[in-house]
Amino acid sequence: MSDHARRILALHARTTKYFGVDFLPIGEGVAGGDAPVSADPGGDAIPMSAAVREKAPAMVEPKVAPAPKKEVARVDRDELIACYQGETDPGAKLAKLRAKYEADAPHEAFVTGFTNIVFGEGDPGADLMFIGEAPGESEDLSGRPFVGRAGQLLEKMIIAMGLSRETVYITNVLKTRPPNNATPTQDEAMACAPYLIEQIRIVDPKVIVTLGAPASHTLLETSAPMRDLRGRFHTFPGEGEGVGGFGVSLMRSSGLSARVVMPTYHPAYLLRSYTEENRRKVWSDLQLVMGRLGLSRG
Ligand code: URA
C-alpha cells in the first residue's frame, strides 16, 4: 500500500471514529478487498455499503495547522456572567454574550482563515438545544449554524419531532470553522466551552442533544464511544472526571443546574452512512427526547 493510501486510511479511521462509529472500510484499489475491517472488532462496527461509499465526501489531505496568533486564554466564568447582567430578556443576554465572544476572540488562538463567527441561532428560550461540533463551509459563509447538507438533515429531524428550527436553539462547540473542517482539539473546545456554558445558562433548555462525539465528549467530559453514550439520557453537568484538557471538570465548576443530555450521531455521519439501522438509532434517541419534552411521538 502506498504512503498516500495509508495516510488516507488513517485519516478516514480518525474521522469515522470522531463521528461516533469505529469502522474502517477497505475498498478495491486500496487494500484489495471490499469487506469492512473494524478498528474495534468487539464493538459497534457498521459496514459501509458501496452506495454509501460512492456518496462519501472526498478525503482531503490534512494541512499543517496555522501558527496560533495568541495564547489560549482561560476566560473567567464570573466575567462572562457579568457581561450580560442587567439584561432580563434571554435574546438580549445572548447578544451581549456574543459581543463578549467577539471581543475576546478565543478562536484567534487556533483559527485564522474563517469568514464569519457562527454563534448560534433559534429561540433564546427554547426547551430543546442542539449542539454540534463546529461550523462547516456553508455555515462559515452564511454565519448560521447547520445550514449545509448536514444542517438540512438536522432540520428534517427537527421537523419530524414536530418542531421547527425557530423553536429550538442550535449552536456548536466551536464558533468558527476549523481549517479543513478538522475535528476540534481539546484545547480549542476548552477555549470555547465557557461561552457554550453561558449559552446553556441563558437559554436554559430542558433537554440538550449533542450531535456526534466532539460535542458529546465536551459536555459529558468523557471519551466513551458514541455507541456507549447514545440511546440514554445523561445528567449534565455529570460525573465525568474530565478528559485530557478537561481534567478540572469545567462543566461541574460551571454552577449550572442539572439538566439532561441525549448524545446522538451527527447528521453528517448519518449522511455518510445512511443505513436504516443508523436512522433507526437516531430516531429512537429523538423519540426519547420527545417523550421527555412531552411531545407526541406520532
Ligand atoms: N456540522 C456541525 O457540527 N455544525 C454545523 O454548524 C454544521 C455542520
Side-chain angles (χ1 to χ4, degrees):
M1 195 190 309
S2 71
D3 282 354
H4 181 66
R6 211 171 270 126
R7 268 203 312 279
I8 289 178
L9 275 176
L11 177 67
H12 193 87
R14 265 204 315 280
T15 319
T16 49
K17 182 160 185 284
Y18 273 113
F19 277 126
V21 177
D22 305 334
F23 73 97
L24 182 59
I26 308 286
E28 281 159 272
V30 178
D34 203 26
V37 177
S38 174
D40 176 8
D44 197 12
I46 295 173
M48 190 190 233
S49 71
V52 170
R53 197 158 46 238
E54 269 168 30
K55 279 192 245 150
M59 285 298 150
V60 184
E61 283 288 309
K63 282 189 196 144
V64 177
K69 284 203 274 175
K70 67 174 195 185
E71 287 288 300
V72 177
R74 296 278 180 253
V75 66
D76 183 46
R77 166 186 96 164
D78 295 336
E79 185 189 327
L80 283 188
I81 294 175
C83 88
Y84 58 81
Q85 223 152 34
E87 300 291 349
T88 48
D89 173 57
K93 289 183 185 180
L94 286 171
K96 286 274 171 72
L97 181 65
R98 181 190 173 118
K100 173 80 174 135
Y101 176 91
E102 287 174 1
D104 293 349
H107 49 268
E108 281 187 5
F110 47 87
V111 174
T112 48
F114 68 94
T115 314
N116 285 299
I117 289 172
V118 182
F119 194 68
E121 71 174 27
D123 180 354
D127 283 344
L128 179 57
M129 185 168 189
F130 288 90
I131 302 177
E133 165 181 340
E137 186 179 18
S138 309
E139 293 75 23
D140 179 56
L141 294 175
S142 66
R144 300 177 58 208
F146 281 99
V147 291
R149 281 186 70 220
Q152 284 157 21
L153 181 55
L154 175 63
E155 188 163 354
K156 282 188 189 157
M157 285 153 50
I158 292 170
I159 290 169
M161 295 173 81
L163 299 168
S164 66
R165 267 187 85 101
E166 293 72 31
T167 56
V168 301
Y169 190 80
I170 307 175
T171 190
N172 285 299
V173 175
L174 299 195
K175 313 302 190 206
T176 49
R177 183 188 184 200
N180 245 353
N181 292 345
T183 301
T185 64
Q186 287 184 348
D187 265 359
E188 291 166 352
M190 277 294 277
C192 295
Y195 303 87
L196 177 62
I197 288 170
E198 292 318 312
Q199 284 176 301
I200 296 170
R201 201 190 309 276
I202 293 169
V203 176
D204 197 20
K206 291 196 176 102
V207 180
I208 296 169
V209 174
T210 47
L211 301 165
S216 306
H217 290 173
T218 300
L219 246 69
L220 300 176
E221 297 180 306
T222 175
S223 57
M226 283 301 293
R227 63 173 179 272
D228 293 345
L229 294 174
R230 60 150 294 274
R232 65 193 166 90
F233 287 110
H234 298 253
T235 304
F236 164 80
E239 295 305 311
E241 286 306 317
V243 181
F246 303 123
V248 291
S249 186
L250 187 65
M251 299 304 160
R252 262 179 291 150
S253 62
S254 67
L256 278 176
S257 57
R259 62 206 68 229
V260 290
V261 176
M262 172 61 76
T264 196
Y265 292 132
H266 194 289
Y269 166 70
L270 264 192
L271 281 175
R272 291 191 312 128
S273 197
Y274 205 62
T275 64
E276 204 181 312
E277 183 184 7
N278 287 346
R279 278 182 280 164
R280 211 173 331 107
K281 284 179 181 170
V282 171
W283 183 232
S284 105
D285 295 344
L286 296 181
Q287 283 188 309
L288 289 173
V289 171
M290 288 161 68
R292 195 71 173 225
L293 292 173
L295 299 170
S296 157
R297 291 183 193 210

